[in-house]
């Protein structure tokens, strides 16, 4: 019997022999081709590169909105050692000493190391360089805080100065062959006041985002007064540009994989008091809820009833697309209550599980300069902020 083959050890390259740089357009494609080997399926590598190219041209990412950072050997700029993406965001912060203010923030995504150079600390070296850059006033890049969503557990990024947050979620699973699931939502063209929800197009989402951002600012002002300055709160703003990034990603994948146009991006109650946005994740076979908004001045019963209608619309959209699951991150009290009511009402047609996410997309925050985050409350920690 032949001896078993052993995998070649990773290439060794000292930190002082690699260059930290913003990727050129050509180097971006090299990065996408490398990480696409792991992240492209069920798309082809060419389709994956096409998706990333499309995302780089969205309002959120274009013109430096997303910067692509790499390590490469000093003598070989065509060899990517490690890479990541940093996208500029806007956030609200409420602090005991400064009150509520809007700040520059960021998110880090697509952290990847070339298999040739793994187990050499290259990703950590890259991230330390990125963190120094986003903290740097002199470079004109200084930001107050950043987010990332870890797919490799909680410990790794904690060692680099990130704080992981709890990640509750509610997962709906539709019965596999239940054609009688009576949750099909009405047409968005139906003007009857008795219709529970109206389905939304992308164009209808943008003005709702403006109202949402204004409401989040108002809520932060109330929080600061109620907290008496005892808590630090942060929220990444649910802007139209952020939602449009998700919609562009969704559109590309659905058109590429299924040849199908995405028409409905969410739903709103007939009185306009509450709404929901969603994303069709064909890879995970889930309809992922990006955000659920209710009107703060409404009572508990009204908000719970509105959310129940919106969740029914999401279940209907999932059924129409053949997606067996609907996922909601960080469910608010009214979402939890509405989900429980749907479980009781729909019985075996829908299973509902309240979970904590531990196997991927664990939300983590980092403050400028590595400031401690033990007392920070992360508001609006929903899927819309992921990218």
């Amino acid at each position: 019997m032949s001896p078993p083959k052993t995998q070649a050890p990773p290439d060794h390259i000292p930190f002082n022999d690699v260059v930290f740089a913003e990727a050129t357009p050509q180097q971006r494609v090299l990065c996408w081709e490398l990480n696409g080997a792991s992240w492209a399926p069920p798309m082809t590598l060419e389709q994956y590169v096409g998706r990333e190219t499309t995302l780089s041209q969205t309002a959120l990412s274009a013109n430096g909105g997303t910067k692509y950072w790499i390590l490469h050997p000093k003598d070989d700029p065509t060899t990517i050692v490690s890479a990541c993406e940093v996208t500029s965001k806007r956030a609200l912060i409420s602090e005991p000493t400064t009150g509520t203010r809007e700040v520059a923030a960021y998110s880090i995504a697509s952290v990847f190391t070339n298999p040739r150079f793994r187990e050499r600390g290259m990703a950590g070296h890259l991230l330390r360089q990125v963190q120094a850059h986003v903290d740097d006033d002199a470079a004109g890049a200084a930001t107050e805080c950043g987010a990332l969503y870890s797919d490799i557990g909680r410990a790794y990024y904690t060692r680099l100065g990130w704080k992981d947050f709890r990640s509750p979620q509610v997962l709906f699973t539709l019965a596999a062959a239940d054609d009688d699931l009576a949750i099909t939502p009405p047409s968005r063209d139906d003007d009857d006041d008795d219709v529970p929800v109206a389905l939304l197009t992308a164009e209808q989402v943008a003005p709702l985002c403006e109202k949402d951002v204004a409401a989040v600012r108002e809520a932060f002002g109330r929080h600061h007064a109620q907290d008496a300055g005892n808590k630090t709160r942060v929220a990444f703003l649910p802007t139209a540009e952020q939602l449009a990034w998700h919609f562009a990603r969704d559109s590309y994948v659905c058109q590429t994989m299924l040849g199908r146009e995405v028409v409905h991006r969410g739903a709103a109650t007939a009185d306009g008091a509450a709404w929901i946005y969603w994303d069709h994740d064909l890879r995970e076979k889930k309809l992922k809820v990006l955000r659920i908004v209710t009107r703060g001045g409404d009572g508990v019963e009204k908000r719970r009833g509105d959310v129940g209608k919106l969740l029914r619309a999401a279940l209907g959209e999932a059924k129409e697309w053949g997606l067996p699951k609907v996922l909601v991150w960080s469910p608010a009290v009214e979402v939890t209550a509405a989900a429980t009511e749907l479980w009781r009402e729909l019985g075996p047609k829908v299973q509902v599980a309240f979970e904590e996410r531990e196997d991927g997309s664990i939300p983590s925050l980092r403050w400028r300069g590595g400031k401690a985050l033990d007392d920070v409350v992360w508001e609006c920690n929903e899927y819309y902020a992921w990218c």
Side-chain angles (χ1 to χ4, degrees):
M1 180 181 294
S2 302
K5 294 182 179 180
T6 59
Q7 186 175 2
D11 290 353
H12 176 69
I13 183 170
F15 290 159
N16 59 6
D17 284 343
V18 295
V19 174
F20 169 69
E22 186 175 355
T24 66
Q26 294 76 19
Q27 288 169 329
R28 290 185 201 176
V29 175
L30 293 174
C31 293
W32 295 333
E33 290 174 343
L34 267 176
N35 61 37
S38 299
W39 298 336
M43 293 186 292
T44 66
L45 188 59
E46 181 180 7
Q47 290 168 341
Y48 176 83
V49 171
R51 188 193 74 182
E52 297 306 295
T53 301
T54 297
L55 291 177
S56 72
Q57 297 166 349
T58 63
L60 185 70
S61 294
N63 303 314
T66 297
K67 293 184 180 294
Y68 305 81
W69 295 101
I70 61 169
L71 298 177
H72 68 77
K74 286 181 178 178
D75 58 353
D76 185 6
T78 64
T79 294
I80 306 301
V81 174
S82 194
C84 71
E85 302 173 3
V86 180
T87 299
S88 296
K89 302 285 186 79
R90 301 299 299 178
L92 283 184
I93 291 177
S94 176
E95 293 180 297
T97 56
T98 60
T100 299
R101 56 200 173 97
E102 185 172 328
V103 300
Y106 63 94
S107 67
I108 292 180
S110 301
V111 180
F112 186 85
T113 297
N114 186 327
R116 285 177 51 193
F117 303 99
R118 288 179 183 169
E119 301 177 11
R120 301 293 186 185
M122 286 298 170
H125 180 59
L126 170 72
L127 287 170
R128 282 187 285 271
Q129 302 300 311
V130 168
Q131 290 169 189
H133 177 79
V134 296
D135 287 354
D136 188 0
D137 270 326
T143 55
E144 291 294 320
C145 60
L148 63 77
Y149 299 85
S150 172
D151 289 329
I152 54 173
R154 298 180 181 275
Y156 180 81
Y157 291 107
T158 299
R159 292 195 295 268
L160 290 167
W162 295 79
K163 176 178 171 52
D164 63 295
F165 281 69
R166 308 321 303 178
S167 46
Q169 63 185 29
V170 57
L171 182 67
F172 299 84
T173 302
L174 282 67
D178 195 339
D179 294 331
D180 297 327
L181 193 59
I183 51 178
T184 304
S187 167
R188 68 182 179 88
D189 296 323
D190 196 328
D191 293 327
D192 189 338
D193 288 340
D194 293 331
V195 172
V197 299
L199 296 176
L200 300 171
T201 64
E203 291 75 18
Q204 291 170 311
V205 167
L208 292 177
C209 289
E210 293 182 13
K211 293 175 62 176
D212 192 8
V213 169
V216 172
R217 290 195 180 106
E218 183 180 347
F220 259 57
R222 291 196 305 272
H223 287 323
H224 186 73
Q226 293 166 359
D227 293 341
N230 293 323
K231 293 182 180 179
T232 295
R233 298 177 184 267
V234 61
F236 292 84
L237 290 174
T239 63
E241 292 79 10
Q242 178 69 81
L243 272 298
W245 182 93
H246 282 281
F247 297 161
R249 191 176 190 270
D250 193 7
S251 290
Y252 180 92
V253 174
C254 290
Q255 186 63 48
T256 298
M257 299 302 300
L258 300 178
R260 183 173 177 182
E261 180 185 359
V262 179
V263 177
H264 300 134
R265 301 297 186 175
T269 54
D271 63 0
W275 56 86
I276 188 173
Y277 314 133
W278 55 57
D279 172 86
H280 308 77
D281 190 328
L282 301 186
R283 181 177 187 177
E284 295 188 15
K285 295 182 173 57
K286 295 172 184 171
L287 189 81
K288 291 184 175 178
V289 172
L290 297 167
R291 179 150 167 78
I292 298 175
V293 180
T294 58
R295 189 163 52 195
D298 288 336
V300 174
E301 293 296 325
K302 172 70 162 63
R303 295 201 305 272
R304 185 174 63 208
D306 285 349
V307 171
K309 297 172 186 177
L310 299 175
L311 289 175
R312 277 180 170 269
L315 291 169
E317 181 77 357
K319 181 173 181 287
E320 182 183 346
W321 279 78
L323 299 172
K325 297 180 185 293
V326 174
L327 179 67
V328 184
W329 280 12
S330 300
V333 172
E334 59 266 26
V335 177
T336 299
T340 302
E341 287 185 359
L342 283 174
W343 170 73
R344 289 172 177 154
E345 180 181 347
L346 296 175
K349 296 179 181 180
V350 175
Q351 296 178 1
V352 180
F354 298 94
E355 310 170 332
E356 174 147 18
R357 195 169 57 257
E358 293 288 355
D359 59 348
S361 294
I362 297 170
S364 302
L365 277 180
R366 178 182 175 274
W367 227 255
R368 185 180 177 191
K371 174 183 172 182
L373 299 176
D374 293 339
D375 298 324
V376 170
V377 179
W378 188 343
E379 302 282 358
C380 308
N381 189 4
E382 296 173 76
Y383 192 73
Y384 76 88
W386 176 93
C387 73

